[in-house]
């Protein structure tokens, strides 16, 4: 069993992992940048080590500094969280070569599934439906233009590595292709240090449904049902719910069956997420697989009672899954709102700064995951998400009402946030009936911009 674990991340996911370590009796080591020396994860961990300046490239993306911190502190494992190096096969391989345990799948699986183009080819071989697109990465804009014409507009240019909506651009006609192609490559390079991209047909206004899976090193794979992650702005998830309220039972069964089939075929272990797009005709397509913990994992935990981080650590320690598929039942509904430090009335501009006063909601069925506190200064160097508010209730309508009350109690003074925007979303008819798609938020923002009271 893992004895001492280094958390190679920051923010709420670092706090989440450290708390699980405490519950499991595992010594935790936090790493931090210079600017994060007062961060909550630093104060909660048993030990803390500074790994570089505020710039992520010199700290949270600095593989050598992280490995050195783990070795010098006597750790036997590293948990990468999400983002940063969590899906970097070079980092996972380096961890393995240094005799440390990587809490996640091995570097070969990360490499194969992290390369979105290679993952598509694997799905074709397995017999899972994929979105029409290029078979290989596209080297230059001229080649991309030719391929886009063959596929037919609209198309989406996607980074071959990484995820989280980074390095993705939708192109509606050839006149915008070159600019978007270059932008996608540049963003992919900055985000993942890999500028390779490929092109797919853009499926207009689909549902974004993902299936949470868990696997161990003994060939056991289970699913924890699905999440609806269709509420997005610029390919970034804003609000998620589990299970999907409007998903046809037959389609749900197909998605779950394919997700488990994929993982068993690939001998996948650890936590993972298979992401699908479901169009208005009920056709579904494999989009990508994330080989890490997801931001939205709490809603799955709430409806199944499974601690996904704990299971990750157990599997990495070489233990079998201690839960079976027959034990997994959907109990109720859960919704997660991502709270960001953004000025929603100024095109969602980042709003770093000092939190002058903070009041967090609580009570039955309300869960908060955050690393901020009264007096904490949000740095401008990292992602704008500052907390996740999770609500749980026996029915979806009761869950929506519970989340509304939670947001009414949530108060963050000193910075701008998207709390009001989330609150309004929870009252929108399309959300209440569950019939929203990935394009809904853009329409909703336009509606709000025409409302003088909101502006």
């Amino acid at each position: 069993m893992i004895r001492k674990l280094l958390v190679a991340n920051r923010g709420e996911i670092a706090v989440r992992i450290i708390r699980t370590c405490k519950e499991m009796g595992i010594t935790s080591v936090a790493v931090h940048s210079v600017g994060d020396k007062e961060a909550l994860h630093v104060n909660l961990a048993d030990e803390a080590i500074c790994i570089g300046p505020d710039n992520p490239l010199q700290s949270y993306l600095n593989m050598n500094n992280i490995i050195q911190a783990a070795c010098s502190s006597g750790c036997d494992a590293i948990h990468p969280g999400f983002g940063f190096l969590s899906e970097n096969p070079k980092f996972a391989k380096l961890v393995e070569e240094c005799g440390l345990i990587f809490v996640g799948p091995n570097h070969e699986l990360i490499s194969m599934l992290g390369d979105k183009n290679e993952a598509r080819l694997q799905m074709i071989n397995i017999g899972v439906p994929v979105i029409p697109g290029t078979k290989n990465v596209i080297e230059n804009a001229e080649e991309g233009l030719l391929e886009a014409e063959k596929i037919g507009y609209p198309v989406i240019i996607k980074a071959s590595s990484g995820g989280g909506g980074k390095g993705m651009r939708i192109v509606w006609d050839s006149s915008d292709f070159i600019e978007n192609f270059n932008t996608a490559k540049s963003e992919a390079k900055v985000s993942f240090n890999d500028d390779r991209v490929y092109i797919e047909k853009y499926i207009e206004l689909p549902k974004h449904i993902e299936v949470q899976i868990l696997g161990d090193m003994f060939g056991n794979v289970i699913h924890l049902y699905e999440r609806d992650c269709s509420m997005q702005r610029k390919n970034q998830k804003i609000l998620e719910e589990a299970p999907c309220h409007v998903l046809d039972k037959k389609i749900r069964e197909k998605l779950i069956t394919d997700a488990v089939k994929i993982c068993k075929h690939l001998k996948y272990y650890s936590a993972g997420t298979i992401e699908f797009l479901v169009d208005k005709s009920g056709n579904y397509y494999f989009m990508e697989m994330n080989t890490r913990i997801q931001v939205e994992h709490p809603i799955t935990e709430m409806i199944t009672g499974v601690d996904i981080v704990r299971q990750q650590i157990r599997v990495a320690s070489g233990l079998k899954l201690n839960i079976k598929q027959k034990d997994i039942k959907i109990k109720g509904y859960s919704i997660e709102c991502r709270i960001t430090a953004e000025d929603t009335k100024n095109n969602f501009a980042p709003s770093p700064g000092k939190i002058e006063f903070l009041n967090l909601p609580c009570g039955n069925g309300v869960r908060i995951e955050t690393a901020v506190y009264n007096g904490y200064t949000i740095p401008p160097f990292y992602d704008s998400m500052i907390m996740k508010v999770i609500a749980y209730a026996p029915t979806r309508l009761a869950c929506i009402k519970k989340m509304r009350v939670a947001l009414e109690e949530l108060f963050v003074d000193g910075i701008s946030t998207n709390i009001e925007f989330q609150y309004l979303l929870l009252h929108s008819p399309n959300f209440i009936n569950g019939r929203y798609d990935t394009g809904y938020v853009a329409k909703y923002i336009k509606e709000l911009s025409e409302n003088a009271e909101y502006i």
Side-chain angles (χ1 to χ4, degrees):
M1 188 68 185
I2 292 170
R3 298 174 296 100
K4 192 171 187 178
L5 184 145
L6 181 138
V7 183
N9 217 295
R10 66 179 302 279
E12 53 84 20
I13 188 58
V15 170
R16 168 76 173 87
I17 296 166
I18 290 167
R19 284 174 173 157
T20 300
C21 285
K22 290 178 180 293
E23 293 175 13
M24 298 179 73
I26 297 171
T27 302
S28 59
V29 178
V31 293
H32 64 92
S33 64
V34 172
D36 266 346
K37 63 181 179 180
E38 299 298 329
L40 184 59
H41 76 284
V42 174
N43 293 315
L44 288 180
D46 296 303
E47 300 175 28
I49 300 173
C50 182
I51 53 170
D54 296 328
N55 186 332
L57 288 172
Q58 298 174 286
S59 51
Y60 297 107
L61 290 170
N62 190 320
M63 300 184 198
N64 291 332
N65 284 9
I66 292 172
I67 294 291
Q68 185 176 353
C71 292
S72 65
S73 59
C75 289
D76 50 4
I78 294 179
H79 196 308
F82 51 67
F84 292 129
L85 296 170
S86 62
E87 291 182 289
N88 188 310
K90 293 179 181 178
F91 179 62
K93 185 178 182 181
L94 185 59
V95 172
E96 295 162 12
E97 289 176 344
C98 290
L100 300 169
I101 297 170
F102 182 80
V103 181
N106 62 45
H107 74 274
E108 289 98 342
L109 283 167
I110 295 174
S111 179
M112 177 177 62
L113 292 165
D115 185 324
K116 302 301 185 289
N117 189 63
E118 174 62 25
R120 289 179 71 254
L121 297 178
Q122 287 288 336
M123 298 309 119
I124 292 171
N125 292 335
I126 298 170
V128 175
V130 300
I131 302 169
T134 56
K135 292 183 178 179
N136 300 299
V137 295
I138 303 301
E139 299 296 336
N140 55 67
E142 290 71 26
E143 179 188 354
L145 265 173
L146 294 175
E147 292 294 337
E149 292 291 340
K150 293 178 186 176
I151 296 168
Y153 291 97
V155 299
I156 184 166
I157 303 165
K158 301 176 74 173
S160 190
S161 297
K166 307 292 186 182
M168 293 172 60
R169 288 294 183 277
I170 300 167
V171 185
W172 297 94
D173 58 62
S174 58
S175 63
D176 294 329
F177 184 87
I178 293 179
E179 180 182 354
N180 280 289
F181 182 87
N182 292 332
T183 300
K185 283 181 73 71
S186 297
E187 190 173 273
K189 179 67 175 178
V190 171
S191 300
F192 314 116
N193 197 27
D194 181 355
D195 69 352
R196 295 176 304 145
V197 297
Y198 65 100
I199 304 171
E200 286 181 344
K201 178 69 177 177
Y202 178 60
I203 308 298
E204 296 186 62
L205 307 180
K207 273 285 191 184
H208 180 144
I209 308 296
E210 59 186 34
V211 178
Q212 176 71 60
I213 63 92
L214 286 171
D216 63 25
M217 300 177 194
F218 301 90
N220 301 304
V221 176
I222 64 172
H223 69 80
L224 303 181
Y225 290 96
E226 86 284 351
R227 299 183 285 255
D228 187 344
C229 303
S230 306
M231 198 68 83
Q232 302 177 12
R233 174 183 173 270
K234 295 187 174 180
N235 301 313
Q236 293 280 1
K237 299 166 188 173
I238 293 176
L239 176 155
E240 303 97 348
E241 61 176 309
C244 177
H245 177 57
V246 297
L247 190 64
D248 180 84
K249 291 182 179 179
K250 291 182 179 179
I251 297 176
R252 171 183 285 125
E253 191 59 38
K254 288 180 179 179
L255 294 181
I256 288 169
T257 300
D258 274 352
V260 172
K261 180 173 72 172
I262 289 166
C263 294
K264 286 191 172 182
H265 177 83
L266 299 175
K267 296 180 172 57
Y268 185 87
Y269 61 90
S270 191
T273 305
I274 316 291
E275 303 200 346
F276 296 95
L277 293 181
V278 182
D279 68 20
K280 294 188 179 298
S281 299
N283 302 307
Y284 68 93
Y285 308 93
F286 168 85
M287 184 172 66
E288 64 183 23
M289 179 171 182
N290 291 305
T291 57
R292 53 171 167 80
I293 194 79
Q294 294 275 101
V295 174
E296 57 273 19
H297 75 274
I299 56 176
T300 295
E301 294 183 330
M302 299 300 280
I303 67 166
T304 63
V306 176
D307 185 328
I308 298 173
V309 174
R310 177 184 286 264
Q311 292 299 325
Q312 275 190 303
I313 295 173
R314 282 178 48 83
V315 168
S317 298
L319 301 176
K320 287 185 178 182
L321 291 174
N322 59 357
I323 44 178
K324 298 185 182 301
Q325 191 63 66
K326 63 181 178 63
D327 302 322
I328 306 301
K329 308 292 182 185
I330 295 178
K331 298 176 182 177
Y333 280 83
S334 186
I335 297 171
E336 173 182 282
C337 286
R338 300 190 187 193
I339 305 303
T340 56
E342 294 177 326
D343 185 352
T344 58
K345 299 174 186 178
N346 185 26
N347 198 30
F348 291 79
S351 179
K354 185 177 180 180
I355 296 177
E356 301 292 348
F357 179 76
L358 175 68
N359 184 71
L360 298 177
C362 59
N364 182 36
V366 176
R367 171 176 168 179
I368 302 293
E369 299 225 338
T370 188
V372 304
Y373 52 83
N374 273 306
Y376 176 72
T377 298
I378 299 168
F381 313 104
Y382 313 112
D383 188 85
S384 61
M385 187 175 73
I386 58 173
M387 75 177 68
K388 302 180 309 199
V389 180
I390 301 103
Y392 168 83
T395 68
R396 185 171 182 270
L397 183 57
C399 190
I400 291 172
K401 291 179 178 178
K402 190 178 291 287
M403 179 62 83
R404 290 173 182 169
V405 172
L407 294 185
E408 287 171 2
E409 292 183 20
L410 177 59
F411 188 76
V412 184
D413 189 28
I415 60 168
S416 296
T417 72
N418 68 336
I419 297 172
E420 181 185 2
F421 181 76
Q422 291 277 21
Y423 187 74
L424 292 173
L425 269 181
L426 289 164
H427 287 79
S428 63
N430 278 34
F431 173 72
I432 294 170
N433 65 31
R435 298 291 174 184
Y436 59 94
D437 52 50
T438 56
Y440 178 65
V441 171
K443 297 177 187 175
Y444 192 65
I445 290 173
K446 185 177 180 181
E447 291 176 12
L448 289 178
S449 67
E450 297 168 354
N451 184 339
E453 291 182 7
Y454 183 74
I455 295 172

